[in-house]
Amino acid sequence: MINSLEGLDDMGVATAAARAGADVVRDMYGRRLARIDKGAGDFATAADLEAERQILDVIRAARPDDGVLGEESGRRGAADAVRQWMVDPLCGTLNYAVGNMLVAVNVALRDGAAAVADPFSGEVFCTDGATAWVRKDGADARLVPTPATQLVDVNLDPPFPNAPGFRAVGLLAHPAFVDRFRPRVVSTTLALAWVAAGKRAAYVTDGGDLTASVHFAAGIALCRAAGCTVTGIDGAPLGPEGRGLVAAADAETHGQLMAVIRSQDQRT
């Protein structure tokens, strides 16, 4: 593996790292894994830790001078490194721990390349920052978002920083939402890759600035490169003052969701 990393561009590194993590997640699936408590109901498993170790090995071998922010191991390398990788080795740990295969492995170079691997489908969604692809069985295909499914994933995980102005659970019951869309609740940011790939019409989550999050950075990069419309839940650009995330297949779908969200906000 280490020798094969020579000469890879950043997208290649992100893809190789995500695949390395996905191999661990897939191989350890179904085992009885001890839970490492992280507080506030959150936890990690041995699969999270080993997947992150394998991902970091790839990044260190290919880009030894870059900084890394890992969900489990924290920050490594120079704190002021211009180039920083963000790693979420197992997004959907609770799903995984109870035997649900809806999980993702996220690797992103901040403001650059990124990859999201689905350990069980074998798909790796990747971007060089300009275009977005899905790789499976040795073949590449461009990601083409579309609202055709009318399926919208909504993240219901706490905390709820923008309540009462925005409540994800309220969005699901809003008459205008029900009239146009069909809700799905997937506790993993794999759903963002599905928006970029045309498997979902949109994804909505509460939160603050998610561009610097190990959980969301790779999915946001994919959606942007695929041509999705991506903003906060207030319609403002993502950034340090950001509020949550709305990633939609197209501007029309985004506009319809924003109208519902603003209507919900006015009713609170």
Side-chain angles (χ1 to χ4, degrees):
M1 165 67 80
I2 300 303
N3 292 337
S4 68
L5 298 174
E6 295 181 2
L8 288 180
D9 60 13
D10 287 335
M11 186 173 77
V13 174
T15 301
R19 279 178 169 160
D23 287 345
V24 172
V25 171
R26 184 176 58 255
D27 291 346
M28 296 184 73
Y29 178 75
R31 301 185 192 179
R32 292 188 63 182
L33 301 172
R35 298 187 180 189
I36 301 99
D37 183 34
K38 297 164 67 173
D42 194 12
F43 63 90
T45 70
D48 297 71
L49 301 181
E50 179 59 20
E52 183 162 308
R53 188 181 72 80
Q54 294 292 335
I55 292 168
L56 297 184
D57 282 350
V58 171
I59 295 173
R60 279 195 294 261
R63 299 291 189 270
D65 297 326
D66 290 358
V68 180
L69 177 62
E71 181 183 9
E72 309 305 336
S73 59
R75 195 178 302 277
R76 297 191 178 200
D80 59 351
V82 175
R83 291 166 49 91
Q84 182 183 75
W85 295 86
M86 289 175 284
V87 174
D88 181 359
L90 205 175
C91 185
T93 299
L94 181 56
N95 284 347
Y96 185 79
V98 298
N100 188 310
M101 293 182 178
L102 290 175
V103 301
V105 177
N106 300 326
V107 179
L109 177 64
R110 189 159 191 176
D111 299 322
V116 175
D118 181 338
F120 299 103
S121 74
E123 295 171 310
V124 182
F125 305 90
C126 51
T127 177
D128 57 5
T131 56
W133 305 80
V134 58
R135 294 181 174 179
K136 185 176 182 181
D137 299 329
D140 289 0
R142 286 285 292 270
L143 293 184
V144 181
T146 170
T149 67
Q150 297 186 338
L151 301 177
V152 176
D153 273 305
V154 180
N155 180 14
L156 300 182
D157 288 346
F160 311 114
N162 292 297
F166 173 78
R167 298 181 191 272
V169 67
L171 181 66
L172 300 182
H174 195 291
F177 181 91
V178 173
D179 184 58
R180 174 66 176 81
F181 301 108
R182 291 295 174 266
R184 293 293 182 271
V185 180
V186 178
S187 189
T188 170
T189 52
L190 179 63
L192 273 170
W194 291 345
V195 176
K199 297 182 180 184
R200 292 289 192 269
Y203 175 87
V204 181
T205 184
D206 201 350
D209 174 18
L210 301 180
T211 59
S213 166
V214 296
H215 306 290
F216 290 92
I220 290 171
L222 281 173
C223 286
R224 283 174 163 167
C228 301
T229 301
V230 181
T231 71
I233 57 171
D234 54 359
L238 302 183
E241 304 302 320
R243 295 177 55 209
L245 174 66
V246 178
D250 61 0
E252 181 180 357
T253 301
H254 181 270
Q256 291 170 334
L257 283 169
M258 289 309 308
V260 176
I261 290 171
R262 286 167 178 152
S263 172
Q264 177 190 2
D265 187 42
Q266 292 167 2
R267 295 191 307 169
T268 59

